């Protein structure tokens, strides 16, 4: 049974990037203390930590040290050692299970899990070590593990291009992409937001609430998301990404954590994904969440000056992460109420 962790206690966060930063900010508002583990002592979440441990994510002893400081432990990204977590969760209070990590860290396991729940996926070919596979169409080849923002994937059309430890996904005609940001506390599952996402160069560019999907499409995506949460040992925020192709809702992937598309909820929702996650992992009741029309833009390093100038002229809600600006690096986001398009920037 999930424990009740009240303000004044310590939340441990594995990862000190912007997701960890915004989790820590929400937890601090509620009166929690924060312990963070990250390989960089320049990470942007460090400023909000009461305890900071500089260590690699696969350093078992240091991760256990974080656990000893913490009354509950969470993580800001899923590429941590599931085997290590399986050992630690027997002694410490993890509420996002190692089994969820094993599924979501591996694209084949993830799609097989979705199919086991009768949730439709794109057609795919699983490649382990044998690349002697005939293909007669264009596929999107993705590494089985450790891919994000388009990294570890490329289009292929020839047998000779197939690499080991990949999954070949059949390309589909894409109407739109949506994500369901949900939270599971010890009482029930709540939907924080259903978000429509636009990517450029495989990086999330713009998000919008509400989506342009039909009521039926949104309802089906929510049904699939609840089915996933009902069939895993997990508490907290979880996001499921879906394609909509020729009107059909198709599973893409699971993020067992707070999610970039959920940053919009800092303004759109009556409770942000970060506050909801803190409440859920601490055994508190999250309650019903409602949204208003909002638009999000990600801010990449090369666009820092544009958005700094924009905020002097246009009212919005700017969130910079205090990260060094580099090309295509996410250094912040900005939310606007309403359906906003930024003129020449959108073109």
């Amino acid at each position: 049974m999930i424990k009740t962790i009240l303000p004044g206690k310590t939340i441990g966060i594995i990862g000190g990037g912007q997701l960890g930063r915004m989790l820590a900010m929400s937890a601090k508002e509620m009166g929690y203390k924060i312990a963070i583990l990250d390989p960089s002592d320049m990470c942007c979440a460090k400023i909000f930590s009461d305890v900071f441990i500089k260590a690699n994510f696969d350093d078992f002893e240091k991760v256990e040290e974080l656990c000893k400081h913490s009354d509950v432990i969470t993580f800001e990204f899923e590429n941590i050692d599931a085997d290590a977590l399986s050992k630690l969760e027997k002694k410490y209070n993890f509420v996002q299970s190692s089994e969820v990590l094993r599924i979501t860290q591996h694209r084949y396991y993830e799609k097989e899990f979705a199919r086991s729940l009768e949730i439709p996926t794109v057609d795919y070919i699983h490649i382990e070590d044998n690349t002697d596979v005939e293909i007669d169409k264009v596929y999107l080849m993705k590494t089985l593990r450790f891919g994000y923002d388009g990294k570890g994937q490329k289009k292929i059309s020839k047998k000779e291009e197939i690499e080991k430890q990949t999954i070949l996904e059949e390309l589909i005609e894409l109407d739109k992409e949506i994500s369901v940001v949900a939270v599971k506390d010890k009482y029930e599952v709540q939907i924080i937001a259903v978000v429509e996402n636009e990517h450029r160069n495989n990086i999330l560019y713009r998000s919008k609430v509400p989506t342009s999907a039909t009521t039926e499409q949104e309802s089906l995506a929510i049904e699939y998301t609840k089915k996933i949460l009902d069939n895993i040992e997990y508490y907290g925020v979880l996001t499921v990404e879906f394609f909509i192709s020729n009107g059909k809702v198709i599973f893409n992937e699971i993020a067992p954590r707070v999610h970039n598309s959920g940053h919009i909820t800092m303004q759109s929702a009556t409770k942000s994904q970060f506050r909801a996650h803190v409440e859920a992992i601490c055994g508190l009741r999250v309650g019903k969440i409602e949204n208003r029309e909002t638009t999000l833009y990600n801010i990449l390093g090369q666009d820092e000056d544009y958005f700094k100038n924009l905020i002097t002229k246009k009212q919005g809600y700017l969130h910079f992460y205090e990260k060094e600006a580099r090309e295509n690096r996410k250094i912040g986001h900005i939310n606007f109420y309403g359906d906003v398009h930024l003129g020449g920037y959108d073109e």
Side-chain angles (χ1 to χ4, degrees):
M1 184 65 180
I2 186 169
K3 298 177 182 178
T4 300
I5 309 297
L6 296 176
K9 299 292 187 180
T10 299
I11 298 172
I13 304 173
I14 302 174
Q18 64 261 28
L19 298 178
R21 174 189 175 94
M22 288 180 275
L23 277 172
M25 290 168 70
S26 281
K28 280 288 188 182
E29 285 180 343
M30 296 176 68
Y32 288 97
K33 294 182 173 63
I34 298 296
I36 289 174
L37 181 143
D38 194 89
S40 171
D41 57 11
M42 299 294 289
C43 67
C44 64
K46 181 181 177 181
I47 191 172
F48 296 103
S49 63
D50 299 278
V51 175
F52 180 77
I53 300 171
K54 181 182 178 181
N56 292 328
F57 300 122
D58 60 358
D59 187 330
F60 184 88
E61 290 184 359
K62 291 295 186 180
V63 175
E64 184 164 28
E65 182 182 336
L66 176 82
C67 295
K68 290 176 179 177
H69 284 286
S70 307
D71 297 286
V72 62
I73 306 98
T74 187
F75 45 80
E76 67 152 10
F77 71 115
E78 57 269 40
N79 290 334
I80 58 180
D81 190 336
D83 290 334
L85 182 58
S86 68
K87 298 173 184 175
L88 291 168
E89 67 189 355
K90 294 179 173 68
K91 295 175 61 178
Y92 302 101
N93 187 22
F94 284 88
V95 293
Q96 298 148 284
S97 69
S98 59
E99 185 57 32
V100 175
L101 280 183
R102 285 195 179 89
I103 293 169
T104 58
Q105 285 176 345
H106 196 286
R107 287 192 167 104
Y108 173 67
Y109 298 159
E110 190 174 49
K111 284 184 169 51
E112 287 292 291
F113 174 67
R115 286 190 171 185
S116 75
L117 299 177
E118 299 183 340
I119 299 172
T121 74
V122 296
D123 289 334
Y124 56 85
I125 302 171
H126 176 211
I127 306 294
E128 281 286 347
D129 297 321
N130 179 21
T131 61
D132 186 20
V133 176
E134 297 294 336
I135 57 175
D136 57 0
K137 62 181 76 172
V138 178
Y139 285 89
L140 186 61
M141 182 173 68
K142 298 180 179 180
T143 55
L144 290 175
R145 295 165 59 88
F146 306 122
Y148 66 96
D149 285 349
K151 295 177 175 64
Q153 59 182 263
K154 62 182 177 181
K155 291 180 182 178
I156 66 166
S157 58
K158 300 176 182 176
K159 172 182 176 180
E160 293 75 23
E161 298 175 292
I162 298 174
E163 298 174 8
K164 295 179 180 180
Q165 299 294 305
T166 59
I167 191 167
L168 312 184
E169 296 183 0
E170 186 173 346
L171 292 179
I172 59 173
E173 185 177 332
L174 188 63
D175 302 337
K176 57 181 63 72
E177 295 182 33
I178 65 172
S179 55
V180 180
V181 186
V183 61
K184 181 180 179 180
D185 63 21
K186 66 181 179 182
Y187 303 99
E188 59 200 341
V189 173
Q190 295 283 356
I191 303 303
I192 303 173
V194 183
V195 186
E196 184 169 344
N197 301 308
E198 178 186 345
H199 291 79
R200 293 192 178 181
N201 299 318
N202 295 308
I203 300 172
L204 181 62
Y205 167 73
R206 181 178 185 268
S207 293
K208 176 75 171 59
V209 171
T211 77
S212 62
T214 66
T215 301
E216 291 76 14
Q217 288 166 344
E218 282 200 5
S219 296
L220 194 54
I222 289 170
E223 178 187 325
Y224 291 154
T225 302
K226 288 183 173 179
K227 186 180 286 188
I228 287 168
L229 279 167
D230 286 342
N231 283 275
I232 54 176
E233 186 181 347
Y234 187 94
Y235 294 95
V237 169
L238 178 143
T239 300
V240 186
E241 298 177 10
F242 295 95
F243 300 132
I244 298 181
S245 175
N246 295 317
K248 297 180 180 179
V249 179
I250 300 172
F251 170 89
N252 179 31
E253 63 183 26
I254 302 167
R257 53 174 171 78
V258 291
H259 190 258
N260 194 169
S261 65
H263 295 356
I264 199 170
T265 65
M266 296 174 80
Q267 267 66 56
S268 74
T270 49
K271 183 175 290 182
S272 77
Q273 65 168 346
F274 302 104
R275 174 64 67 101
H277 185 75
V278 170
E279 291 177 347
I281 67 172
C282 290
L284 310 180
R285 183 185 288 277
V286 175
K288 184 175 175 58
I289 298 171
E290 297 179 348
N291 283 265
R292 61 180 289 185
E293 186 174 43
T294 306
T295 304
L296 169 147
Y297 282 89
N298 258 336
I299 302 174
L300 303 181
Q302 63 267 29
D303 301 318
E304 179 180 17
D305 291 341
Y306 172 88
F307 283 99
K308 283 183 175 178
N309 181 58
L310 178 70
I311 203 65
T312 67
K313 303 172 183 177
K314 183 176 180 61
Q315 194 275 327
Y317 295 84
L318 184 65
H319 304 269
F320 271 118
Y321 309 145
E322 296 186 280
K323 293 172 67 175
E324 180 186 356
R326 296 199 298 265
E327 186 170 1
N328 290 334
R329 188 188 199 193
K330 296 173 187 172
I331 62 167
H333 69 274
I334 188 167
N335 290 330
F336 301 99
Y337 285 126
D339 184 7
V340 173
H341 294 267
L342 295 180
Y345 184 76
D346 272 338
E347 296 170 1

